[in-house]
Amino acid sequence: MDNDILQEFIAESRELLADAQGQLLRLEAAPADAGVLGAIFRAFHTLKGGAGFLEAQHMVDWCHHLEDLLDKLRAHKLTADSGMIDAILRSTDVIERMLDEMAQGENPQPGPAELGALVQAYARGEQTASAQPKPAEREAPRHAEAGHTWLEPRADVTGQIGLYVEKKPASTAPVAEAKHEDDLEALFDQTLDSLYGKGGAPGIATTPTAPATAQHAAAAASSTPPAPATPSAEPQSREDTTIRVDSARLDQAMNQVGELVLLRNRLSAAVARLNQGDEALVRMVRETDLAVNDLQSTVMRLRMQPCKRLFQSLPRVVRDASRNLSKKVRLELEGEDVEIDKTVIDALSGPLIHLVRNALDHGLETPQDRQTAGKSEEGKLKVAAIHLGDKVQILVVDDGRGMNPHKIMRSALGKGIISEADAARLSEREMLDLIFLPGFSTKEQVSELSGRGVGMDVVRSAVQQLRGRVDIATRPNQGTTLTLELPLTLAVLPVLYFKLRRETYALPVSVVDNLMEINPERVHSISGRLMAQVGQDRIVPYIDLGLQLQGVPLHLGHDPCEGILTEQGLLIVSEAVGTEDSVVKPLDISAQSTWYQGATISGSGDVVLILDMQALTRAMRTAQAA
């Protein structure tokens, strides 16, 4: 089989599965929604067809059983309940496993026999896992005495012959043996054919006196009509307006645009140095700058995807976790149409799921605890995406118990993650940041969701690798907000150039809070560490980059010095030069390369190292501990 066809099938199938899972959760809230049922049915039907073309028989059989069940639901012969939704969701996990096996060049293995039998039992109307009555039994109040169906020809008041149908009670027939609706339809058709010949029935009278036309008879004898198309269905023209492209090609195009950006910067700097007042040349440089910006923006948009793709797995995560924890949770998703770079979405999917599970497990209380605290039984969890200029914020907000900074600090002390001396000088904000240290957890018992001390450190690491940062805001008994701030794209990195004596370095603009003058009177030594007061109630580490990067400290009052305030501390440099868009090139030639994100080429054509603040501060903490 052509590998390109296989890869396209796998990509499309995963999209279909993701959409089907979202529709299944909507179906749980609206079991009779014809549009949702139709969308889920079409997804499994398409999967079965593609698997058949690729001769993946086990996937064909698996999808076929799901298709049978969905067909009964579409025809309203069955009604979905939570147990049935669980079985279908678990079946989609099996299909995902089969797709993974196909992606590795293997023929998919059969699905679990027990789950397959459960799905087939649901399709036959035999399984009631949630102890709910079957659809036929739900009609018991209306047809509790139903026993036999009687049909006879009668004349109405006009003399026209029609067929009279009546269900007469039978005291010896239990309700469970009542005829299903499809059996009644079959008997009805058979009786019509025997009385009048096939298709020759003159009409049906639904009551002894109500006349009926032949059209009414045909409509009554027909099966349940197919579900009408819904406005949410995708337009047929989409195939003509979209194209699937390998992301590697987009990466290559973005890299080439990045090189063009560097050349644009060098051209602008060169023309500025000429200073000959050539208006035509200056105008040409401006036009080139605009054209490169437009091209860069166009290629960047090609890589953009809506946050809906990032959020689509969260409803099921919340559903499964809340059931496991016996909590009532309402999930709200906002900003699904906000677009962000595909690389960011791919890298952030796992960390975001962990944050949501963490909020469910640690943040939101049980219904009993919430009532005791004067809250509603149902907790609220909101995940939102907000577009802010060249950045995007992902918010995870809960209305739970909030975080206790001092409890977090005591837990870190108890686990030996920090020392007593370090704990004594922590601010409340730094106490909260302890949750991001490896091995930290406030859970005393390990559960399926948490307690192993693995997760939040991975979240921060992933966000930092994406050139972003994590912030925590919490209030006791009111909830917690975790904010992930990320760049819209990783293709181009705005940097701030600064000088250390004669050397030029760069720092990502995203980590810079502001530039400030340094007052020597506000620099103090606390427990052997230099700290700088940068506000009325904020003290941060004093980081001399001259000492850290060149081995020679910058002396306040003697050497030219400026301050760059970041989340990690106040950086001391010789001079802040200015900002510029840059393209990052990886470094692997130095033992100190872990201190840098990479290198770029400035407008003057010089190679400039881009500092990685997280890596540098980690190295400083390691040296201080030693």
Side-chain angles (χ1 to χ4, degrees):
M1 178 58 63
D2 191 325
N3 187 61
D4 290 341
I5 296 177
L6 175 62
Q7 295 303 321
E8 185 172 353
F9 166 74
I10 291 172
E12 290 180 352
S13 297
R14 284 176 172 152
E15 291 178 3
L16 282 171
L17 272 182
D19 184 64
Q21 289 178 347
Q23 297 282 9
L24 281 165
L25 297 177
R26 283 192 282 274
L27 181 65
E28 191 169 27
D33 193 313
V36 172
L37 286 166
I40 300 171
F41 176 85
R42 288 191 297 273
F44 289 119
H45 182 74
T46 303
L47 284 168
K48 186 179 80 169
F53 178 75
L54 295 172
E55 300 179 354
Q57 190 58 42
H58 292 311
M59 185 182 291
V60 172
D61 295 340
W62 194 260
C63 292
H64 180 72
H65 298 319
L66 291 169
E67 195 179 38
D68 283 346
L69 175 56
L70 267 299
D71 195 38
K72 294 284 183 67
L73 292 173
R74 280 201 314 166
H76 303 293
K77 296 176 181 178
L78 297 172
T79 301
D81 58 24
S82 59
M84 188 183 293
I85 299 294
D86 281 334
I88 301 175
L89 284 171
R90 288 161 54 198
S91 298
T92 62
D93 295 337
V94 174
I95 297 176
E96 286 182 356
R97 187 260 297 165
M98 292 180 174
L99 290 173
D100 291 339
E101 292 172 347
M102 294 178 71
Q104 296 171 4
E106 302 172 2
N107 197 34
Q109 297 300 307
E114 183 179 352
L115 180 57
L118 179 62
V119 171
Q120 293 177 63
Y122 271 122
R124 293 192 299 268
E126 299 173 358
Q127 182 69 29
T128 54
S130 59
Q132 295 180 359
K134 296 179 184 179
E137 295 173 357
R138 291 197 185 100
E139 301 292 331
R142 190 175 53 180
H143 300 294
E145 299 298 325
H148 300 288
T149 303
W150 297 80
L151 303 96
E152 60 177 319
R154 288 188 183 181
D156 62 13
V157 293
T158 64
Q160 184 177 0
I161 299 295
L163 192 64
Y164 178 68
V165 182
E166 182 180 0
K167 290 190 119 182
K168 293 187 177 181
S171 58
T172 58
V175 176
E177 295 178 0
K179 293 289 185 181
H180 289 295
E181 188 178 339
D182 51 351
D183 296 333
L184 177 61
E185 289 178 0
L187 179 60
F188 190 81
D189 292 339
Q190 182 180 357
T191 305
L192 284 175
D193 292 341
S194 65
L195 289 173
Y196 301 102
K198 193 168 185 65
I204 298 175
T206 57
T207 68
T209 59
T213 63
Q215 289 84 354
H216 293 158
S222 64
S223 60
T224 303
T230 62
S232 60
E234 293 185 359
Q236 296 294 327
S237 61
R238 180 176 177 180
E239 295 181 356
D240 300 329
T241 60
T242 61
I243 183 172
R244 189 181 298 276
V245 179
D246 190 336
S247 60
R249 296 187 180 184
L250 295 179
D251 292 340
Q252 185 179 11
M254 195 68 246
N255 289 337
Q256 291 172 343
V257 169
E259 296 295 336
L260 193 58
V261 169
L262 294 178
L263 289 174
R264 184 271 314 270
N265 294 342
R266 294 178 63 185
L267 176 62
S268 299
V271 171
R273 285 194 300 269
L274 289 176
N275 196 23
Q276 294 179 352
D278 190 334
E279 291 295 332
L281 182 59
V282 172
R283 186 167 58 252
M284 187 182 300
V285 170
R286 286 204 204 99
E287 292 174 357
T288 302
D289 184 53
L290 292 174
V292 171
N293 285 339
D294 289 343
L295 178 60
Q296 177 185 338
S297 176
T298 300
V299 176
M300 284 169 56
R301 283 199 301 271
L302 293 177
R303 295 178 51 87
M304 295 292 188
Q305 292 188 334
C307 284
K308 180 180 180 181
R309 180 169 170 261
L310 181 63
F311 294 168
Q312 64 188 4
S313 63
L314 298 183
R316 184 178 178 188
V317 170
V318 171
R319 177 183 184 271
D320 294 345
S322 59
R323 287 189 173 195
N324 187 24
L325 296 166
S326 300
K327 295 180 179 180
K328 296 181 180 180
V329 183
R330 182 177 77 255
L331 175 65
E332 297 180 0
L333 299 177
E334 296 181 3
E336 291 182 291
D337 56 344
V338 173
E339 292 189 334
I340 194 171
D341 194 284
K342 176 183 180 296
T343 305
V344 177
I345 287 180
D346 291 342
L348 207 58
S349 178
L352 184 59
I353 288 175
H354 180 81
L355 289 179
V356 168
R357 284 178 172 161
N358 202 63
L360 290 168
D361 195 14
H362 294 273
L364 293 173
E365 311 95 332
T366 62
Q368 296 79 9
D369 291 342
R370 290 182 65 85
Q371 282 188 321
T372 303
K375 301 180 181 180
S376 64
E377 288 188 353
E378 185 181 60
K380 185 176 78 171
L381 178 63
K382 183 173 77 171
V383 181
I386 303 173
H387 185 192
L388 298 172
D390 61 347
K391 299 178 184 177
V392 65
Q393 284 187 346
I394 308 293
L395 307 180
V396 180
V397 186
D398 69 72
D399 66 346
R401 60 175 61 92
M403 295 184 184
N404 186 328
H406 296 281
K407 179 182 177 182
I408 291 172
M409 182 188 68
R410 289 193 297 270
S411 180
L413 280 170
K415 295 178 181 295
I417 297 176
I418 60 173
S419 65
E420 292 280 357
D422 290 334
R425 56 174 177 258
L426 290 178
S427 64
E428 287 198 351
R429 179 177 178 179
E430 290 170 329
M431 292 178 190
L432 292 174
D433 284 345
L434 292 175
I435 67 172
F436 297 109
L437 295 180
F440 178 84
S441 176
T442 56
K443 276 278 188 178
E444 296 179 358
Q445 294 181 342
V446 174
S447 68
E448 182 181 346
L449 292 176
S450 61
R452 301 185 184 276
V454 178
M456 294 302 286
D457 61 316
V458 176
V459 170
R460 170 170 273 188
S461 176
V463 172
Q464 289 175 347
Q465 288 177 4
L466 295 170
R467 304 173 193 157
R469 60 184 180 182
V470 187
D471 188 39
I472 304 173
T474 185
R475 298 181 67 183
N477 203 39
Q478 295 189 30
T480 300
T481 299
L482 280 116
T483 303
L484 312 183
E485 188 171 275
L486 301 148
L488 281 177
T489 179
L490 302 180
V492 175
L493 176 67
V495 296
L496 170 68
Y497 289 116
F498 65 88
K499 284 186 174 294
L500 283 176
R501 299 181 176 92
R502 295 185 178 182
E503 298 292 332
T504 302
Y505 296 85
L507 192 65
V509 170
S510 60
V511 306
V512 177
D513 288 343
N514 61 278
L515 306 179
M516 58 188 304
E517 294 183 357
I518 305 170
N519 184 351
E521 296 180 357
R522 295 198 168 202
V523 179
H524 310 281
S525 178
I526 302 176
S527 299
R529 294 174 59 191
L530 284 178
M531 308 292 287
Q533 184 177 356
V534 296
Q536 293 296 327
D537 55 356
R538 186 180 177 189
I539 298 177
V540 299
Y542 177 93
I543 303 174
D544 187 340
L545 289 185
L547 176 62
Q548 299 298 328
L549 301 183
Q550 298 178 340
V552 181
L554 294 170
H555 298 286
L556 296 179
H558 297 85
D559 298 325
C561 293
E562 291 186 14
I564 302 176
L565 183 60
T566 69
E567 184 181 3
Q568 288 74 27
L570 181 64
L571 309 183
I572 310 304
V573 301
S574 298
E575 179 187 2
V577 178
T579 61
E580 189 175 74
D581 286 345
S582 69
V583 178
V584 182
K585 301 296 181 181
L587 279 179
D588 57 359
I589 58 174
S590 169
Q592 289 186 337
S593 61
T594 54
W595 291 11
Y596 303 99
Q597 292 188 17
T600 187
I601 300 176
S602 68
S604 59
D606 298 327
V607 176
V608 178
L609 297 175
I610 303 174
L611 196 62
D612 185 338
M613 279 306 303
Q614 286 79 23
L616 178 60
T617 51
R618 277 198 304 269
M620 291 172 58
R621 283 197 300 266
T622 302
Q624 290 170 359

